[in-house]
């Protein structure tokens, strides 16, 4: 060890000589036990968190791969131009480069570094070198323009907070003539289209009208290669058009975007169908991890060249998606963009919220969610068209005379507008980020509600329960209060439901969760029904007087939306009481919790709701008091599921033109029916539950409401 150490310091000052320290490191490794670390006297735990493991490719950003720089890689022949003097091989290699770039782009979209994915391609790092290779140059140019467009939309939407690396360009130069890239690509596409027509004319023994040089030398492969390249070029062209159309203000490019999306999907399917014609030769088995259709390794890529651009952080270990995974990713992305492009620009705020929640069920990736957010919010307006206060006024069914008042200039109303904007942004985030932000924004909504209430009291005194026609300004504020409280409970409901999607609840906690969902949903329905009733009264005001008995009958009728939510309430209450009864009668075994009690877990799950006072005066003691006497013999518990089933059947006709709501009602029916059967079986078995019978709760019919399953082991 000492000898190795002495050999290191072979010089000093300007005459220092670099010496290989590998023998010293090897000697140190041999002398260390597991868990030991060589460190100086001032080394501490904080420093250990940022320590680097020397010679580990995942940690040591100073590790050198094959080349020290891009220029050295080019000089070493890593990215030749032309790729091969054999034109057939040159075309084969170009297709492989296109395929690998597609896989790199999909990997980047999944949250990895741009420098170590797309820009691991040496041809992209030196675009001026590809000008003599028209095919490669056109494809590289549109790739760079596409990356720039994607970074722009993600940065504008601020969804990159989920993955900070996405928008980091690490000093890479993406600036170029974006408009010119399409003209270059169109020229190359036209040339290859002529070559394809000439090839087909020759194979059909027809006269070729123009003298066209073939794409490559092998006539037997000419048509297949022309079709393969055309499909790839056209996909890139249409995908770039999709991004540009979605970028247009006020949703003006949505219809055209849908046409380009359809073309993209068509070209991707063509690429997949043609892939079997250009696989690797020699009967070799093609790996499932291949990043090209042919299974060959692409020319001109070296991820280690840009690894040090991420310093001072260690370079990430990146596994590029396979070619088939990249195809599937882009098909999914295009389907999501098609859904976004189909969004109606005339939707009310409630319809927009419903649209975003339904869209999130397909678990869209970052790029699609960024496009949705930019479509919804432009220049602080909904779809860039309507001011937020106007949107709120329609959602809260405020009278038209609100325009004649200065309510929108009140500070608390301005804050409310910003809260609506923030809510739309949050709903476009991924599920985990969304739930965390929804929990925090609840307190802001609650504070705004209190401020509105105080403003109402300071101007008009103690507010009465029902708005009257005496003071228009007072009535507007009361209606606004009702709407704000309704949205508070809507956000709380969304917060609770997301916990199931993120698998945050254990089976032993389902009871308290469904209880909280029940309590919040009851409040939500109450506020929704109150708002609808006010709206109906406002609409009826000024009309001729009707028969009193008929008016009273109409007042007690519930809207289909209220009944739709009522089916959820019955299901949540039924599950709450069912789980409580099973716990009370020791028919389900609860896992021991040595680190926290039920009360502590209740607080951990619902702390953000409790801080916002949602709902009022509800705590663990309320939950415990309402469930401690539950038993299987209680008839009401059985009727909850029957009520949910009955309401779901009755309200179906009201949503005949809404396939999503109809699908949800069918799921509610299925859960209610299966739970009714399971409950009936458990009531018959009672205390004599056979140990061979196993009870479990599954989400086979609905993502949020569990189905009780009794099986014999």
């Amino acid at each position: 060890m000492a000898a190795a150490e002495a050999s290191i310091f072979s010089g000093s000052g300007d005459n220092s000589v670099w010496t290989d320290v590998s023998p010293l490191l090897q000697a140190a490794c041999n002398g260390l036990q597991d868990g030991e670390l060589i460190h100086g006297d001032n080394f501490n735990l904080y420093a250990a968190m940022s320590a680097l493991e020397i010679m580990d490719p995942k940690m040591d950003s100073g590790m050198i791969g094959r080349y020290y720089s891009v220029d050295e890689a080019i000089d070493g022949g890593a990215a030749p131009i032309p790729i091969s003097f054999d034109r057939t091989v040159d075309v084969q290699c170009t297709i492989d480069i296109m395929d690998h770039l597609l896989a790199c782009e999909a990997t980047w979209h999944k949250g990895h570094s741009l420098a170590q994915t797309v820009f691991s391609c040496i041809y992209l790092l030196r675009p001026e070198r590809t000008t003599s290779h028209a095919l490669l140059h056109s494809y590289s140019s549109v790739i760079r323009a596409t990356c720039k467009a994607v970074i722009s939309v993600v940065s504008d939407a601020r969804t990159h907070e989920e993955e900070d690396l996405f928008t980091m360009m690490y000093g890479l130069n993406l600036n170029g003539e974006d408009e010119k890239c399409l003209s270059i690509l169109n020229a190359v596409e036209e040339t290859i289209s002529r070559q394809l027509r000439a090839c087909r004319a020759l194979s059909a023994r027809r006269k070729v009208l123009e003298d066209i040089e073939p794409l490559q030398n092998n006539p037997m492969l000419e048509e297949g290669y022309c079709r393969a390249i055309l499909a790839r070029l056209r996909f890139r062209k249409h995908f770039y058009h999709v991004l540009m159309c979605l970028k247009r203000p006020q949703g003006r490019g949505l219809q055209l975007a849908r046409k380009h999306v359809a073309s993209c999907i068509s070209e991707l399917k063509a690429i997949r169908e043609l892939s079997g014609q250009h696989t690797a030769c020699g009967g070799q088995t093609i790996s499932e991890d291949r990043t090209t259709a042919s299974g060959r390794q692409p020319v001109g890529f070296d991820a280690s060249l840009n690894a040090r651009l991420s310093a001072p952080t260690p370079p990430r270990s990146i596994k590029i998606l396979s070619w088939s995974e990249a195809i599937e990713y882009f098909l999914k992305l295009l389907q999501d963009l098609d859904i976004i492009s189909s969004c109606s620009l005339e939707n009310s705020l409630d319809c927009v919220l419903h649209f975003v929640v339904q869209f999130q069920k397909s678990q869209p990736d970052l790029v699609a969610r960024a496009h949705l957010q930019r479509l919804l919010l432009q220049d602080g307006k909904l779809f860039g068209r309507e001011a937020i206060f106007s949107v709120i006024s329609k959602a809260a069914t405020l009278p038209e005379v609100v325009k004649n008042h200065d309510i929108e200039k009140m500070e608390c109303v301005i804050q409310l507008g910003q809260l609506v904007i923030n809510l739309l942004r949050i709903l476009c985030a991924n599920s985990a980020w969304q739930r965390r932000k929804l929990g925090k924004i609840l307190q802001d909504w609650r504070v705004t509600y209190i401020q509105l209430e105080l403003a109402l009291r300071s101007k008009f005194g103690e507010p009465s329960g029902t708005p009257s026609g005496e003071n228009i300004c007072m009535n507007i504020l009361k209606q606004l209060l009702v709407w704000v409280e309704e949205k508070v409970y809507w956000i709380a409901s969304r917060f609770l439901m997301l916990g199931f999607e993120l698998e945050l609840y254990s089976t032993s906690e389902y009871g308290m969760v469904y209880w909280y969902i029940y309590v919040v949903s009851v409040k939500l329905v109450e506020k929704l029904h109150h708002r609808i009733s006010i709206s109906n009264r406002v609409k009826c005001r000024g009309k001729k007087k009707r028969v009193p008995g008929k008016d009273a009958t109409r007042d007690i009728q519930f809207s289909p939306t209220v009944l739709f939510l009522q089916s959820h309430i019955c299901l949540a209450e039924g599950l709450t009481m069912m789980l409580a009864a099973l716990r009370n009668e020791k028919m389900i075994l609860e896992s021991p919790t040595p680190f926290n009690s039920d009360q502590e877990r209740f607080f951990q799950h619902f702390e953000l709701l409790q801080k916002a006072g949602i709902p009022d005066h509800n705590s663990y003691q309320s939950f415990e008091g309402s469930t401690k006497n539950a038993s299987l013999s209680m008839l009401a518990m059985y009727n909850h599921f029957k009520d949910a089933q009955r309401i779901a059947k009755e309200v179906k006709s009201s949503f005949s033109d809404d396939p999503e709501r109809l699908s949800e009602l069918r799921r509610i029916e299925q859960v209610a029916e299966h739970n009714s059967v399971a409950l009936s079986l458990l009531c018959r078995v009672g205390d004599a539950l056979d140990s061979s019978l196993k009870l479990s709760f599954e989400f086979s019919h609905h993502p949020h409401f569990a189905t009780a399953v009794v099986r014999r082991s």
Side-chain angles (χ1 to χ4, degrees), residues 646-699:
R646 175 181 55 79
I647 294 171
K649 286 181 179 178
E650 290 175 356
V651 80
K652 272 184 179 180
S653 59
S654 302
F655 297 104
S656 56
D657 58 344
D658 190 340
E660 291 176 355
R661 293 283 177 92
L662 282 176
S663 177
E664 173 69 7
L665 289 169
R666 282 193 292 269
R667 287 193 292 266
I668 292 294
E669 281 187 90
Q670 288 177 324
V671 175
E673 182 180 358
H674 283 79
N675 282 338
S676 293
V677 172
L679 188 56
S680 178
L681 175 61
L682 291 170
C683 286
R684 289 200 308 270
V685 173
D687 295 334
L689 183 63
D690 191 342
S691 59
S692 63
L693 291 178
K694 301 297 181 184
L695 175 63
S696 62
F697 288 88
E698 300 175 357
F699 294 91

Side-chain angles (χ1 to χ4, degrees), residues 42-172:
N42 61 343
F43 193 79
N44 53 38
L45 181 61
Y46 177 80
M49 298 299 294
S50 57
L52 299 180
E53 185 175 344
I54 299 174
M55 307 302 287
D56 183 351
K58 296 181 181 180
M59 295 290 290
D60 190 352
S61 58
M63 276 198 68
I64 303 300
R66 292 181 59 191
Y67 305 105
Y68 283 84
S69 65
V70 176
D71 292 330
E72 183 181 338
I74 293 171
D75 294 340
I81 295 289
I83 303 171
S84 173
F85 290 103
D86 184 330
R87 292 174 60 196
T88 302
V89 175
D90 187 86
V91 170
Q92 290 173 345
C93 292
T94 302
I95 293 175
D96 291 339
I97 291 171
M98 292 177 174
D99 289 346
H100 190 74
L101 276 172
L102 187 74
C104 287
E105 188 176 6
T107 307
W108 170 51
H109 285 194
K110 287 289 187 179
H112 288 289
S113 161
L114 178 66
Q116 291 182 265
T117 51
V118 178
F119 278 83
S120 64
C121 180
I122 300 171
Y123 294 109
L124 288 179
L125 295 171
R126 294 290 186 271
E128 67 279 358
R129 295 184 61 248
T130 60
T131 51
S132 60
H133 196 297
L135 180 56
L136 188 57
H137 185 66
S138 64
Y139 196 86
S140 301
S141 298
V142 77
I143 281 279
R144 292 169 66 89
T146 300
C147 290
K148 183 179 177 182
V150 170
I151 288 175
S152 173
V153 69
V154 174
S155 298
D156 291 346
R158 300 178 185 175
T159 47
H160 64 281
E161 290 180 354
E162 302 171 19
E163 180 51 78
D164 293 337
L165 288 176
F166 190 90
T167 55
M168 292 180 66
M169 293 188 291
Y170 304 97
L172 299 169

Side-chain angles (χ1 to χ4, degrees), residues 410 412 450-461 477:
M410 294 172 60
C412 54
I450 294 171
Q451 289 175 341
L452 277 169
E453 197 172 32
L454 291 174
L456 179 61
R457 286 176 179 173
S458 64
K459 283 190 174 184
F460 308 105
L477 285 176

Side-chain angles (χ1 to χ4, degrees), residues 264-408:
C264 280
I265 293 174
S266 176
E267 297 301 338
L268 275 179
K269 290 179 178 178
I271 292 170
R272 189 160 55 184
E273 290 171 4
L274 292 167
S275 65
Q277 302 177 17
H278 309 293
T279 54
C281 302
Q284 300 175 358
T285 302
I286 298 178
S287 170
E288 290 296 325
D289 295 334
R290 60 185 172 129
T291 59
T292 62
S294 66
R296 291 182 292 263
Q297 289 296 317
V299 177
F301 289 84
D302 191 337
S304 65
L305 285 174
N306 292 328
R308 285 169 302 196
L309 291 179
S310 58
T313 61
R316 287 190 174 187
S317 178
I318 297 176
K319 182 181 184 298
I320 302 296
L321 294 179
S322 69
W323 181 76
S324 59
E325 289 172 336
I327 293 288
E328 290 300 324
Y329 167 78
F330 275 100
L331 284 172
K332 173 68 166 58
L333 172 62
L334 289 164
Q335 290 164 2
D336 291 336
L337 294 179
D338 187 58
I339 294 172
I340 293 170
S341 302
S342 67
C343 180
S344 172
L345 301 178
E346 305 301 326
N347 277 341
S348 65
L349 180 59
D350 286 337
C351 291
V352 169
L353 294 176
H354 178 70
F355 177 85
V356 177
V357 170
Q358 290 299 123
F359 178 72
Q360 287 280 27
K361 288 182 179 179
S362 65
Q363 297 182 339
D365 282 298
L366 175 65
V367 176
R369 288 186 279 104
H371 277 96
L372 175 60
Q373 184 179 320
R374 188 167 67 173
L375 172 65
L376 296 178
L377 297 170
Q378 300 174 27
D379 301 323
K381 299 178 179 179
L382 185 63
F383 299 117
R385 299 181 171 194
E386 190 172 10
I388 292 299
F389 181 73
S390 174
V391 173
I392 294 172
S393 298
K394 291 179 181 178
T397 60
L398 302 181
E400 289 292 329
V401 293
V402 71
K403 299 175 183 177
N404 303 327
H405 296 266
D406 292 334
I407 291 177
E408 63 178 305

Side-chain angles (χ1 to χ4, degrees), residues 554-573:
R554 291 193 178 188
D555 282 344
I556 62 173
Q557 288 181 344
F558 293 101
S559 71
T561 306
V562 169
L563 291 173
F564 178 82
L565 291 174
Q566 188 64 41
S567 66
H568 289 77
I569 290 174
C570 293
L571 210 51
E573 187 175 12

Side-chain angles (χ1 to χ4, degrees), residues 610-641:
Q610 296 275 298
K611 285 182 176 179
I614 302 169
D616 295 326
H617 313 299
N618 276 283
S619 61
Y620 179 76
Q621 286 71 29
S622 303
F623 160 68
E624 193 175 36
S626 61
T627 58
K628 66 180 179 180
N629 296 321
S631 65
L632 289 174
S633 60
M634 293 171 62
L635 181 62
M637 189 168 51
Y638 176 80
N639 288 338
H640 293 314
F641 296 126

Side-chain angles (χ1 to χ4, degrees), residues 216-271:
Q216 45 82 52
N217 300 326
N218 190 337
M220 300 296 293
L221 302 176
E222 180 74 2
E223 182 177 352
Y225 279 133
C226 286
R227 290 174 61 196
I229 288 178
L230 278 175
R232 286 161 172 80
L233 291 178
R234 287 168 178 166
F235 165 73
R236 296 261 45 129
K237 177 180 71 175
H238 288 298
F239 186 62
Y240 184 73
H241 276 305
V242 169
L243 299 179
M244 293 298 102
C245 289
L246 290 174
K247 189 178 180 180
R248 294 182 184 178
Q250 300 181 6
R252 292 170 185 162
L254 293 185
Q255 290 185 352
L256 187 57
R258 295 198 74 181
K259 294 180 180 179
H260 285 297
V261 165
S263 298
C264 280
I265 293 174
S266 176
E267 297 301 338
L268 275 179
K269 290 179 178 178
I271 292 170

